[in-house]
Amino acid sequence: MKQYQSAIGGMHCAACSTRIEKVVGRLEGVSRCAVNLATNQARIDYDPDLVSVAKIEETISSLGFVAEGETGDNGLDQEKGVEEQLAEIKSRLVPTFIFAVLIMTISMGPMLGLSLPGFLSAETSPLGHTLVQFFLVLPVLYLGKNFYLSGIPALLRGIPNMDSLIAIGTGAAVLYSVWNLVEIMLGIDSVARAHDLYFESAAMLIALISLGKYLEMRSKVKTGEAIKTLMKLTPEKATVVGDNDEHREVDVDSLQVGDLIFIRPGERIPVDGVVVSGNSSVDESMLTGESLPVSRGRGDNLYGGTLNTTGTITFRADKVGSDTVLARIVRLVQDAQGSKAPIARLADRISLYFVPVVISFALLAGVSWYFFWGADFSFSLRIFIAVLVIACPCAMGLATPTSIMVGTGRGAQLGVLIKTGEVLERAQMVNTIVFDKTGTLTVGKPQVTDVVSCSNFDENRILALAAGAELSSEHPLATAIIAAGKERGCTPVKMEDFKALPGSGLRGRFVVDGKELTLLLGNRSLMEKENVQGITPELMKGCQTLSEQGKTVLYLAVDCKLAGIMAIADPLKKEAAQIVTRLKGLGLRVVMLTGDNEKTAQAVAVAAGISSVVAGVLPEGKADEIKKLQSEGNVVAMVGDGINDAPALALADVGIAMGSGIDVAMESADIVLMGGHLSGVTTAIGLSRATMKNIHQNLFWAFAYNVIGIPIAAGALVAFGGPALNPMLGGLAMAMSSVSVVTNALRLRLYEPDKYK
């Protein structure tokens, strides 16, 4: 299977996007067709052996739309195109309103007490009054010609859209008025005919609906601001260090893997790489959502788009172009914004039949008033036009995708990547959160937490001996001991005859004042086997307490006499307990799943405030535990590091991966927390709930607007002695309905995790 992505030109409402999905989706070889009205993008999965791209584009063209060719990550080019389109609409909008207001003044001015010259008066010069309006409406019809060029062909193809409603409504008003003009020219009841014109209604409808389209498009542009901001983070130029240490400025697009790049304070990192010299603080908030800069020095990773704040650094590029983390984030968010949530299916189904039903209902309403309720033709025509112009399939079509665009964009700003609209919807249904322990609830790096002297050696001397012994070891605990020694400024004692004792520890020899001493470092079993002296009951009681806290106890002996003990643990992340409390406050059950032993697992769980613990589970068994929770009726989110947790992440209803395992996480997880910070879990759940609430609001008002507005336009109030709806008010309401939906979606840009419950 391949995927074809293309911008689609000519779409004006949900009926357009749904029709493309239905027709193209039926082509042999097409497995999925998703068209997003908010982004004007189509994503089509197809089998190239069964259907060609040319056939897909030909099918789209036969429906009256334009497939503008396969698109990549040229979001900035698309943005430029939208801005040009906005400028074009705005340039037409001003003269449209000028002519529409002039027609309104001539037509309605006398009703408001305005005195008109005799040649414009319907009473004294009905022909002049009518001809001036006719010639003034022609520029309006020309400026609004797109409604007719799109709507009428769509109607003739049997797939009418919103433009068809406008074209029929305004076209009927103009044709009826032109007929009256002909009768005036023939001298048939001229004054009465001059008072029965709809040129001003047609002109003002086109002006108001054009204004609505402009406001809607401008609002839609804002829905994609988050992703556009990310795309603009990569600088255009970079300083490359040559063989002779010369510096030259090049285009970022020309950078190659292996290039040495020099970064000054205040400059953005152009591509991903590893620092080879220099130290600085780097603002990675665009990537992780964390506001505080982080220190970066030799051997540390740098990511394109992040901001160097203080020192100068030189780094070697290892990922450029579309391979950088920023480029991958942009693609993920673009895919999410172009996806559909299941909740959109109802609106799509209704939109497909909405326009034909509205046209039929408008005809029925107009005919009924004329033939059955005795209304005159003018009133019946007004009812027909009002029904057509108040109906708005756009509001329904925009209700879901605009909220998803803004929600996923806001998530990216907060360091939370949500891959699809379906995931965004599913996350709000989660009632059980399962956490992996190591690297998720804990830091993921063992650290020395306690050093106890049991001899005349002080704590620093114990660490110096242990660090010296571990310099030759590859055991994970060795890294913690060496790091603790460096932190305290201890110089490792040189060891000789180093020997690893698998399952127990290690042995070595060192020389002090010309005297050779034997060192043992390991567990209690090693001490007992070597008959180490000095292990008292009181000491064992203290070691037991450390073990109950989930810490690994190491014993250090010199010449078979206990010198000291060290406790090593993978410490709980500082925010873990607070996040667990917040998740419980959101009504979620929290479970910890780990391969560690029961004692260590319980110690970590107690510290984190988690009561449900499943310990001693191998990586391949974690998926089985997820399946077990799901069989109990739970909607489960799994939070892990994206590496050994990949099977469980894939099986969970929502897989949430910490950014520490970013490469695998982007493949196996539904949501990626770029900063590796646990607060991202509450952000993801809260954002999902806020977005779905926003979608429900949009759908409610979109449906309510049409359910209430269409009967009123059909004269429901008149039947009970109320007023008829002026078509111009109907057009204004239709224009504003789409704007209100998009504006409501834009509120998600203000989402703050700490303020949402």
Side-chain angles (χ1 to χ4, degrees), residues 123-383:
E123 305 293 339
T124 60
S125 180
L127 182 59
H129 175 82
T130 306
L131 279 174
V132 170
Q133 289 189 57
F134 172 72
F135 285 115
L136 285 175
V137 84
L138 291 179
V140 176
L141 296 176
Y142 176 77
L143 292 168
K145 63 182 182 297
N146 288 338
F147 292 120
Y148 304 96
L149 295 176
S150 166
I152 293 174
L155 181 65
L156 296 175
R157 290 190 188 96
I159 49 172
N161 55 26
M162 190 188 77
D163 284 354
S164 302
L165 299 178
I166 299 165
I168 295 171
T170 58
V174 171
L175 289 175
Y176 179 72
S177 300
V178 169
W179 176 254
N180 281 342
L181 171 59
V182 172
E183 290 194 328
I184 291 170
M185 295 174 72
L186 295 175
I188 303 173
D189 202 3
S190 298
V191 174
R193 293 289 181 266
H195 283 292
D196 192 23
L197 301 174
Y198 288 93
F199 288 129
E200 85 287 345
S201 294
M204 193 54 71
L205 279 172
I206 290 173
L208 290 172
I209 293 168
S210 297
L211 174 63
K213 277 184 169 288
Y214 173 76
L215 295 175
E216 176 192 320
M217 184 175 291
R218 194 174 69 171
S219 297
K220 282 167 63 177
V221 168
K222 293 181 180 179
T223 63
E225 281 184 354
I227 190 65
K228 283 178 268 184
T229 300
L230 286 176
M231 294 172 71
K232 292 177 180 177
L233 288 176
T234 303
E236 295 181 357
K237 301 287 184 178
T239 302
V240 173
V241 181
D243 295 335
N244 298 319
D245 203 33
E246 80 278 7
H247 291 47
R248 55 190 175 87
E249 194 175 75
V250 300
D251 291 335
V252 168
D253 292 341
S254 67
L255 291 176
Q256 302 290 323
V257 173
D259 283 348
L260 287 179
I261 303 165
F262 180 74
I263 303 294
R264 302 175 182 85
E267 292 183 341
R268 288 201 175 272
I269 313 298
V271 293
D272 298 356
V274 179
V275 178
V276 295
S277 66
N279 290 277
S280 183
S281 292
V282 179
D283 180 356
E284 297 183 349
S285 57
M286 50 69 58
L287 186 69
T288 65
E290 296 292 333
S291 58
L292 294 177
V294 292
S295 297
R296 290 290 180 255
R298 182 181 176 86
D300 290 331
N301 291 323
L302 295 177
Y303 300 101
T306 56
L307 179 66
N308 181 38
T309 60
T310 53
T312 58
I313 46 178
T314 301
F315 74 98
R316 178 175 286 104
D318 61 10
K319 289 182 180 178
V320 300
S322 61
D323 293 329
T324 65
V325 168
L326 179 60
R328 294 169 67 190
I329 290 173
V330 168
R331 285 199 301 274
L332 278 176
V333 179
Q334 284 177 329
D335 288 343
Q337 292 183 339
S339 66
K340 286 195 173 184
I343 195 173
R345 291 170 186 159
L346 175 62
D348 287 346
R349 284 196 297 269
I350 292 175
S351 299
L352 186 62
Y353 305 104
F354 183 84
V355 175
V357 169
V358 167
I359 294 173
S360 301
F361 187 76
L363 282 169
L364 179 63
V367 169
S368 296
W369 276 106
Y370 186 74
F371 286 106
F372 300 114
W373 291 308
D376 59 27
F377 185 79
S378 179
F379 178 85
S380 301
L381 178 63
R382 211 160 49 238
I383 291 292

Side-chain angles (χ1 to χ4, degrees), residues 555-698:
Y555 299 79
L556 186 142
V558 177
D559 276 357
C560 287
K561 292 181 180 179
L562 187 66
I565 61 172
M566 290 176 291
I568 300 176
D570 183 4
L572 194 68
K573 288 182 177 177
K574 294 178 180 179
E575 74 273 15
Q578 179 186 4
I579 297 304
V580 169
T581 300
R582 287 176 59 186
L583 289 170
K584 289 180 177 178
L586 292 173
L588 300 170
R589 176 189 176 192
V590 182
V591 179
M592 188 177 81
L593 189 61
T594 178
D596 272 354
N597 61 69
E598 184 73 27
K599 185 181 293 185
T600 300
Q602 286 293 345
V604 173
V606 168
I610 300 174
S611 55
S612 298
V613 180
V614 182
V617 182
L618 296 175
E620 57 269 24
K622 290 183 178 181
D624 294 331
E625 293 296 329
I626 297 295
K627 197 179 299 182
K628 181 179 177 182
L629 287 168
Q630 290 171 327
S631 68
E632 297 170 357
N634 297 302
V635 180
V636 181
M638 170 71 188
V639 187
D641 62 12
I643 303 172
N644 62 349
D645 297 317
L649 288 169
L651 185 64
D653 296 288
V654 178
I656 304 176
M658 310 300 286
S660 55
I662 185 169
D663 289 332
V664 179
M666 285 189 172
E667 300 299 328
S668 61
D670 301 309
I671 297 174
V672 180
L673 310 183
M674 297 302 298
H677 198 282
L678 287 173
S679 62
V681 179
T682 56
T683 298
I685 299 297
L687 183 59
S688 170
R689 293 182 178 184
T691 303
M692 292 310 301
K693 181 179 178 181
N694 191 273
I695 288 173
H696 287 136
Q697 291 169 347
N698 282 347

Side-chain angles (χ1 to χ4, degrees), residues 469 495-499 506-510 517-520:
M495 293 286 160
E496 298 177 356
D497 296 334
F498 170 86
K499 182 178 181 181
L506 55 85
R507 181 197 305 273
R509 290 187 301 106
F510 65 99
L517 302 172
T518 301
L519 177 140
L520 293 172

